Amino acid sequence: TFPVTVSTTGHAVPSTLYGLMFEDINSGDGGLYAELIMNRGFQQVTPGTSAALQAWAALGSTSHISVVKSSTAVSTALPNALSLTVTSGTTGTVGFTNTGFFGIPVTAGWKYSGSFYYRFPTSPATQVSGSFTVDLRSTTGTVFTSTTVPFTSSAGWKKVTFSFTPSSTQTSVSNLFALSVNAATVSGLTIEFTLISLFPPTFNNRANGIRMDLSQALLDMKPGFFRFPGGNNLEGQTPAQRWAWELTVNDVVNRPGRLGDWGYINTDGLGIYEYLQWIEDMEMEPIMAVYAGYSLNGQSVASADMQQYITEAINQINFVIGSTSTAQGAIRAAMGHPAPFTLNYVEIGNEDFLSQATASYASYRWADLYNALSAEFPQLNFIATSATSGFVPAISPAPKFWDLHIYSNPNFFINGAFNFDILARNGLQFFQGEYATTTQNSGASLPYPFIDGSIAEAAYMTGFDRNSDIVFAASYAPLLNHVSSTQWTPNLITHTPNSVIKSTSYYVQQLFSLYKGDTYLTSTTNTASSPVQWSATKNTAGQQVFLKVINTATTANTVVFTLPFGTISTAGTGTVLTAASGTMNTPASPNAAAPKNFTFTAGKTITYNAPGLSASVLIVSAH
Ligand SMILES: [NH3+][C@H]1C[C@H](O)[C@@H](O)[C@@H]1CO
């Protein structure tokens, strides 16, 4: 039995203590970003190759399609187009289909909003007109919803929009988007298409927006912050391939996209504006990274060449908070958000403790950017990335905020619950920007989080609660993966085109985030070797006390809390996540482990029997 006396003293818990880390890994396109058409603009592909046609296929044997470099591009950002050539005399229907991002959800009642650009590269002597048909269909050709779009063959690119609403929901996501035309009406002609786009309804009904079900799953965690755009995906394989904010703004027809750092092309349809608007809609605050001159091929920008990147970072920040009299603030206003976005934290680089990054970060990259940015924006907090893997920054000027990353096994997290207790209170604030149990203690990899690792993470997180006077933010990473396109496991949330699988670690993150309170209450100290860790916080306004109990043993353990409050309700409610060792939530068993609510008798003394491998919160009204 573990006797725990809770005191009335403690310290404030920052609103940013628990949040989300995101980059386009495993699924920005095809995941958070709601665009349903894969390879919609043929960005960054080589015309004439089969790869250029990724996700596209001819409709029937008489349709001839290829990706071409358009003789007149729709924009400088999008030089390529899909070319449909209709041989003279062809009869019947011609056109092409798209598989979506490994599937397309067909949901009754959803108004799908689509658009595309088309042109006739060679305008015929006698103008022709007719209509394209666009539809959603099964892979076997059953049409679920469709509409038509008129066309004329006059010269030049034309943008058309359309919408349709299925009347029934398909359980299968093996569906196609199709664009077709009666061959006879365009016999002997070639038609080019690009930026072929289809959106479902989006979170907060934003154009070019974010997927609703994933937004809801994240909203249900009440996350305090959102770190973006990376992570590795900030850095590029080379400086020229870095994530550059300016290539991700304005209309998507002006966004070239880039080869992301996880092996696939990013459309950058989810650009800096869409990130910031969604972060605001989700009532989070951004922790925004700026490129700091190090790329993943090990190349650091030379000291003499840093000015370009300093200017780019200043411009990126002005896009977020600059007045509309700045060129960058004016772009933000023109996109629909004249007021500045909320911004308190800017991270300079990512993982600059890796290989060659350390030397250049410590000798000039950190100082160059920190000095320039803090002079330009004295109100902002600048976060350094760990230029050593320890807890003590080895860079100057001494950073006030410090991003640590740790991926390890359950034992590390169980034994690390007190890693922050021993750190000096010298003004340095820590951001545990990335952490996860990524292997079993045996070293075996994890396709999904498992209960043993999630409960280990929970033990470590009691350290974040207890040390939230120096830990201002913490986020599990990576956040998402598409079940059909995964570059890293495990991930907090796995999704298919139409379903969300919450991992055991999701529920641990949710429990700590929902019940972080605004004040940590000092309680009986514990040791790292204990199988049980606890944390007491309170919500002052709500007069609620949250008692978290983490039991990393496979057998039950009892905790006896003694509360210091004069008024305590006699009935408490609680939530517990527990499962047999090895349990994972997967697409095949999405609810193998789910939190269960319970009630308990509360009072000055509360006895709780924590199941083996469990994370619990006991909620009691008290003041
Ligand atoms: N290697 C991890 C560290 C880096 O910052 C992320 O992009 C990767 C996955 O979370």
Side-chain angles (χ1 to χ4, degrees):
T1 297
F2 295 83
V4 178
T5 301
V6 178
S7 80
T8 54
T9 59
H11 56 256
V13 172
S15 63
T16 52
L17 183 57
Y18 295 111
L20 306 173
M21 184 281 172
F22 182 78
E23 63 178 310
D24 199 326
I25 174 175
N26 306 310
S27 102
D29 288 326
L32 213 47
Y33 184 51
E35 170 65 66
L36 294 172
I37 302 298
M38 180 187 259
N39 191 18
R40 70 182 179 186
F42 315 101
Q43 293 165 293
Q44 307 294 328
V45 296
T46 305
T49 63
S50 57
L53 272 171
Q54 182 189 25
W56 297 98
L59 189 61
S61 59
T62 58
S63 300
H64 306 296
I65 64 169
S66 66
V67 174
V68 299
K69 185 173 176 5
S70 189
S71 53
T72 308
V74 73
S75 70
T76 49
L78 301 180
N80 299 330
L82 185 148
S83 173
L84 172 68
T85 302
V86 186
T87 311
S88 294
T90 306
T91 58
T93 298
V94 292
F96 43 86
T97 59
N98 188 279
T99 60
F101 288 89
F102 315 100
I104 298 179
V106 176
T107 304
W110 274 7
K111 177 183 176 189
Y112 290 73
S113 305
S115 62
F116 60 89
Y117 291 78
Y118 78 93
R119 83 173 183 129
F120 286 75
T122 307
S123 197
T126 50
Q127 293 305 324
V128 298
S129 61
S131 61
F132 298 124
T133 299
V134 285
D135 67 55
L136 290 178
R137 59 177 65 192
S138 72
T139 49
T140 52
T142 306
V143 173
F144 301 124
T145 186
S146 76
T147 188
T148 59
V149 180
F151 69 78
T152 63
S153 61
S154 55
W157 283 101
K158 300 176 192 73
K159 178 179 181 180
V160 293
T161 60
F162 62 89
S163 64
F164 42 49
T165 302
S167 52
S168 61
T169 295
Q170 301 303 314
T171 48
S172 167
V173 292
S174 295
N175 306 307
L176 302 171
F177 166 78
L179 191 156
S180 58
V181 62
N182 176 345
T185 63
V186 287
S187 177
L189 296 178
T190 292
I191 314 169
E192 288 181 358
F193 300 83
T194 195
L195 204 47
I196 306 158
S197 172
L198 185 67
F199 271 80
T202 61
F203 183 75
N204 212 23
N205 206 25
R206 294 285 183 188
N208 197 40
I210 307 299
R211 185 167 149 174
M212 289 189 296
D213 55 353
L214 289 172
S215 297
Q216 192 56 53
L218 298 175
L219 204 57
D220 292 345
M221 298 167 77
K222 285 195 176 24
F225 69 85
F226 190 85
R227 174 176 173 233
F228 81 97
N232 285 0
N233 206 42
L234 166 75
E235 300 175 88
Q237 295 306 312
T238 64
Q241 292 175 307
R242 72 192 178 285
W243 183 91
W245 76 274
E246 206 152 7
L247 300 180
T248 77
V249 292
N250 294 322
D251 190 289
V252 291
V253 78
N254 296 314
R255 302 186 197 180
R258 63 181 275 264
L259 176 61
D261 292 299
W262 294 101
Y264 54 88
I265 292 157
N266 298 169
T267 66
D268 282 338
L270 173 56
I272 185 171
Y273 184 89
E274 289 78 23
Y275 274 121
L276 291 165
Q277 180 62 74
W278 179 71
I279 289 166
E280 183 177 271
D281 288 346
M282 292 276 286
E283 298 179 8
M284 303 185 283
E285 68 171 85
I287 293 183
M288 181 176 77
V290 294
Y291 178 72
Y294 175 75
S295 290
L296 296 173
N297 66 354
Q299 199 180 341
S300 292
V301 167
S303 176
D305 300 336
M306 281 299 288
Q307 187 53 52
Q308 168 192 346
Y309 303 97
I310 292 168
T311 302
E312 183 172 273
I314 290 172
N315 291 345
Q316 179 180 331
I317 294 169
N318 271 326
F319 176 81
V320 183
I321 58 174
S323 95
T324 51
S325 63
T326 65
Q328 299 76 28
I331 298 172
R332 182 189 69 240
M335 292 183 77
H337 201 289
F341 284 105
T342 298
L343 180 68
N344 296 307
Y345 293 99
V346 171
E347 179 154 0
I348 296 181
N350 174 63
E351 289 203 333
D352 289 278
F353 56 84
L354 288 184
S355 65
Q356 306 91 318
T358 303
S360 59
Y361 196 72
S363 58
Y364 60 92
R365 291 191 297 109
W366 159 254
D368 286 359
L369 281 157
Y370 176 76
N371 291 335
L373 297 183
S374 52
E376 190 75 22
F377 306 103
Q379 79 277 24
L380 295 183
N381 301 310
F382 294 96
I383 304 169
T385 77
S386 318
T388 64
S389 53
F391 288 95
V392 180
I395 48 176
S396 64
K400 301 186 183 72
F401 303 89
W402 187 240
D403 177 10
L404 306 171
H405 295 176
I406 182 66
Y407 294 97
S408 189
N409 60 35
N411 283 342
F412 169 85
F413 289 103
I414 290 170
N415 297 330
F418 290 76
N419 280 356
F420 292 87
D421 294 67
I422 54 176
L423 297 180
R425 267 57 179 171
N426 57 13
L428 181 61
Q429 293 276 308
F430 292 93
F431 173 28
Q432 187 66 58
E434 299 175 22
Y435 65 101
T437 302
T438 45
T439 65
Q440 309 213 24
N441 289 325
S442 64
S445 61
L446 290 166
Y448 299 94
F450 71 140
I451 191 71
D452 312 66
S454 305
I455 301 304
E457 287 150 13
Y460 202 76
M461 293 167 75
T462 59
F464 298 152
D465 278 11
R466 187 171 53 249
N467 296 285
S468 51
D469 58 320
I470 59 169
V471 178
F472 75 95
S475 42
Y476 182 103
L479 182 62
L480 292 179
N481 76 295
H482 191 305
V483 70
S484 304
S485 170
T486 295
Q487 292 77 37
W488 174 293
T489 66
N491 299 279
L492 197 66
I493 296 173
T494 294
H495 64 82
T496 69
N498 71 345
S499 68
V500 176
I501 295 102
K502 296 172 181 175
S503 72
T504 48
S505 288
Y506 169 91
Y507 292 118
V508 164
Q509 292 292 318
Q510 180 183 45
L511 186 141
F512 275 80
S513 184
L514 292 182
Y515 303 111
K516 68 175 176 294
D518 53 41
T519 308
Y520 175 78
L521 300 172
T522 310
S523 63
T524 306
T525 55
N526 199 355
T527 61
S529 57
S530 163
V532 177
Q533 298 297 347
W534 54 81
S535 153
T537 59
K538 74 169 181 172
N539 170 337
T540 308
Q543 298 187 330
Q544 287 183 306
V545 172
F546 307 124
L547 306 171
K548 298 189 195 84
V549 178
I550 312 304
N551 183 8
T552 62
T554 51
T555 51
N557 272 297
T558 300
V559 181
V560 180
F561 288 101
T562 302
L563 300 184
F565 302 99
T567 309
I568 302 170
S569 65
T570 54
T573 59
T575 298
V576 58
L577 174 74
T578 187
S581 175
T583 301
M584 294 178 178
N585 286 343
T586 69
S589 58
N591 299 304
K596 290 182 176 53
N597 295 330
F598 60 93
T599 58
F600 60 92
T601 305
K604 198 146 188 61
T605 304
I606 298 173
T607 300
Y608 178 61
N609 187 33
L613 283 179
S614 66
S616 308
V617 63
L618 283 70
I619 304 161
V620 60
S621 297
H623 62 277

